[in-house]
Amino acid sequence: MVTEHRAVAALRVFLVVLFGVLVVFQTLSLPGQFAYMAQESPEDAYLRWPATIVTVFWVLCVQVVIVATWQLLSLVKNDRIFTEASLKWVDAIVWAIGAGWAVLVGVFLYVGFNADDPGVPLLLFLLTVGVTVLGLLMVVMRALLRQATTLRTDMEAVI
């Protein structure tokens, strides 16, 4: 039990750090990077705003996952993880991953059909497969959480 509490505390610290770094990326680094790229390669300057919007959206999806994970950790700490309240946070994670995946597939298709070098499309394909696995894993974990919640509710009704 002590290890679980330490792990939850450590995870919360790293979630705060990760969220803070993502805010910096979202507001400073990504827009600045794409502005710099537009200056250095004027022929690709038309990609500045679409690339900024897409990457900031992906960061937002990760931030939603972080907030939902924080809420799930609160439910774990209060021994309420096997309740209906936890399912809405897992749904938020699934929807955020799904939204990020949909945009990633669109970027993969756009880049794949317009690329003359296979490196970036292969990298995007790898990312797409990874996000697909993560999304499907979360759907399975949601189903397991639903079953455990139902079992716990049934057990509480019997007792």
Side-chain angles (χ1 to χ4, degrees):
M1 205 61 172
V2 173
T3 306
E4 178 183 308
H5 290 296
R6 286 184 180 163
V8 168
L11 182 54
R12 283 190 166 187
V13 168
F14 284 104
L15 287 174
V16 168
V17 170
L18 179 58
F19 195 91
V21 170
L22 289 174
V23 168
V24 171
F25 265 79
Q26 206 171 24
T27 56
L28 301 173
S29 183
L30 293 171
Q33 177 63 36
F34 291 120
Y36 176 77
M37 288 172 60
Q39 282 179 336
E40 293 298 311
S41 301
E43 68 277 0
D44 294 329
Y46 71 96
L47 293 172
R48 173 186 180 185
W49 290 111
T52 301
I53 291 167
V54 165
T55 54
V56 166
F57 175 74
W58 284 333
V59 171
L60 178 65
C61 290
V62 174
Q63 289 170 327
V64 168
V65 171
I66 290 170
V67 170
T69 302
W70 184 279
Q71 294 298 325
L72 288 169
L73 288 173
S74 296
L75 292 171
V76 166
K77 182 179 175 187
N78 297 327
D79 195 29
R80 294 192 26 151
I81 192 65
F82 297 115
T83 62
E84 291 292 321
S86 63
L87 293 172
K88 72 177 181 178
W89 295 110
V90 176
D91 284 342
I93 293 171
V94 170
W95 280 103
I97 292 171
W101 177 85
V103 173
L104 180 59
V105 168
V107 169
F108 167 63
L109 292 174
Y110 176 80
V111 170
F113 284 120
N114 294 305
D116 49 359
D117 175 20
V120 174
L122 282 172
L123 178 63
L124 289 171
F125 177 71
L126 176 65
L127 287 171
T128 302
V129 170
V131 173
T132 301
V133 168
L134 182 62
L136 292 173
L137 178 63
M138 286 309 302
V139 169
V140 170
M141 296 301 286
R142 186 194 186 288
L144 292 172
L145 180 61
R146 162 111 21 231
Q147 288 176 355
T149 301
T150 302
L151 285 173
R152 185 167 187 177
T153 304
D154 291 346
M155 290 298 292
E156 288 173 353
V158 169
I159 296 174

